[in-house]
Amino acid sequence: SESQDTVYVLAFSVIILQTDLHNPQIKLHRKMDMESFILNNRGIDNDNDLPRELLESIYEGVKKEPIISGRDHFNFLESIDKSIIGKKFNLMEPWRMLVMSTKMQEVVDKTVKPLPDKHFRHIFLFNDILVITKQIQIKGKATTKGTKERSISTCCYQFRSHLHIGHFKAESFATQWHPYGVRLVDGLDEDRILLELAAHSEEERVEFMTELTEVTWVYRALENDRIGTLGVSEKIGQSTLSLHSYNSDTDGGRRHTHTLGRRFFKGTLFKSANAAKALSPSTSMFYTKGVSSGDQSGITSDARTSVGGEGSS
């Protein structure tokens, strides 16, 4: 059906069905059966009936599993904010969304082999900031009625620092002990190193650098749009920033990813009306520097390639 009225009527009918089937106050013998549901939706498609198979499928689906609204990104953001302790700014902003989180080791000394259980940082990449934390366990006591006191342990994150997207650059590096390094440098002074991290694998480094590149490009594009350069909002609207999430529980829980819709990065935004001034991932502030894994000094060559592009290291 192409009628909007049909969709609205059917949606309302599904809500009624959901309430009827899963409300415990409605007795079993009074709950709506399939034939009643089909009868209630007779002639709703411009005086025509919807396919019986469709209505049967809807009925069986709602009966088998109730419709439960999911948590929006603001609820998820609130849970992250509560899990980060220590001195930090307020994460609760309506425009802020988590893009990905990952676990990497902070590089303290490039010339020394790192200890396997030291200096790990949990990184939260949002669409406007990068938050660096340290995962810790808080121990306490708990009692319930009729049971003895027992020890409990709660996982949380100790705030370390944060960086604003667009104010820093990222480059890859490699040393004998850190073959998958990521260096964050000041956006205006590349000699000023803000933080050096070591990923577990090349795959994790590329994923982090790629997400960082895309987030920075979008941030800069929206900033240009705000001052009237690109006209991004008029082209694609706010809905393009909706969050499409997936979780990765592999690799011992090192990686947990929430990815913004790829259409935002790969589609309409590249087709700016002002192509000469339009940004692209290749003109982002992020790049890699080709290095030899045997370079123990951490000194890199000048060859640069865009992250995620052809020739990425």
Side-chain angles (χ1 to χ4, degrees), residues 62 99 102 119 127 129 167 175 186 194 200-201 225 260 278 284:
V62 174
V99 177
T102 188
H119 307 297
N127 57 335
I129 56 172
H167 293 185
T175 68
D186 191 290
L194 304 176
H200 179 76
S201 65
D225 179 49
L260 292 172
S284 166

Side-chain angles (χ1 to χ4, degrees), residues 3 23 37 45 53 71 87-88 101 131-132 138 142 166 176 199 203 244 256 267 269 282 286 302 308 311:
S3 171
N23 188 339
F37 177 69
D45 187 21
E53 296 78 11
R71 300 169 65 194
K87 184 179 179 181
K88 68 178 191 300
S101 67
V131 178
I132 297 94
I138 296 181
Q176 178 183 9
E203 178 186 359
H244 298 275
H256 183 72
L269 221 68
S282 61
F286 293 84
D302 291 330

Side-chain angles (χ1 to χ4, degrees), residues 50-215:
L50 292 172
R52 183 182 178 91
E53 296 78 11
L54 172 64
L55 297 176
E56 288 179 350
S57 175
I58 292 174
Y59 181 90
E60 291 295 342
V62 174
K63 181 179 179 180
K64 181 179 180 181
E65 186 173 354
I67 301 172
I68 301 174
S69 60
R71 300 169 65 194
D72 61 26
H73 82 277
F74 202 70
N75 296 134
F76 187 68
L77 187 64
E78 184 178 22
S79 65
I80 297 175
D81 185 66
K82 290 179 179 179
S83 70
I84 301 177
I85 63 174
K87 184 179 179 181
K88 68 178 191 300
F89 59 93
N90 181 29
L91 284 176
M92 302 300 296
E93 299 292 354
W95 65 80
R96 184 163 292 140
M97 294 179 291
L98 179 68
V99 177
M100 73 173 297
S101 67
T102 188
K103 186 177 180 181
M104 289 192 281
Q105 193 171 24
E106 182 175 356
V107 178
V108 179
D109 187 342
K110 294 192 292 291
T111 64
V112 177
K113 182 178 180 179
L115 297 175
D117 58 344
K118 297 291 184 180
H119 307 297
F120 275 97
R121 303 289 178 255
H122 204 95
I123 313 296
F124 294 93
L125 174 61
F126 296 92
N127 57 335
D128 63 336
I129 56 172
L130 184 72
V131 178
I132 297 94
T133 68
K134 177 183 178 182
Q135 186 172 332
I136 60 175
Q137 297 286 336
I138 296 181
K139 296 182 179 180
K141 301 288 185 179
T143 57
T144 54
K145 187 176 181 180
T147 62
K148 295 182 179 180
E149 184 179 72
R150 67 184 190 278
S151 298
I152 60 171
S153 181
T154 304
C155 174
C156 58
Y157 303 95
Q158 175 70 51
F159 177 79
R160 304 285 294 190
S161 63
H162 75 279
L163 300 170
H164 288 279
I165 298 298
H167 293 185
F168 64 92
K169 300 179 182 180
E171 59 190 40
S172 62
F173 72 91
T175 68
Q176 178 183 9
W177 305 115
H178 309 91
Y180 313 114
V182 176
R183 180 182 294 120
L184 306 182
V185 299
D186 191 290
L188 300 177
D189 181 6
E190 295 182 18
D191 293 329
R192 180 171 173 252
I193 298 174
L194 304 176
L195 184 67
E196 289 184 320
L197 301 165
H200 179 76
S201 65
E202 177 64 11
E203 178 186 359
E204 290 187 9
R205 175 168 67 174
V206 169
E207 180 184 17
F208 177 71
M209 296 282 277
T210 301
E211 296 290 353
L212 203 53
T213 300
E214 293 181 339
V215 167

Side-chain angles (χ1 to χ4, degrees), residues 2 66 72 74 88 139 147 188 236 242 247 262 285 304:
E2 297 181 357
D72 61 26
F74 202 70
K88 68 178 191 300
K139 296 182 179 180
T147 62
L188 300 177
I236 53 181
S242 60
N247 298 331
R262 297 296 178 184
M285 296 177 69
R304 299 181 182 180

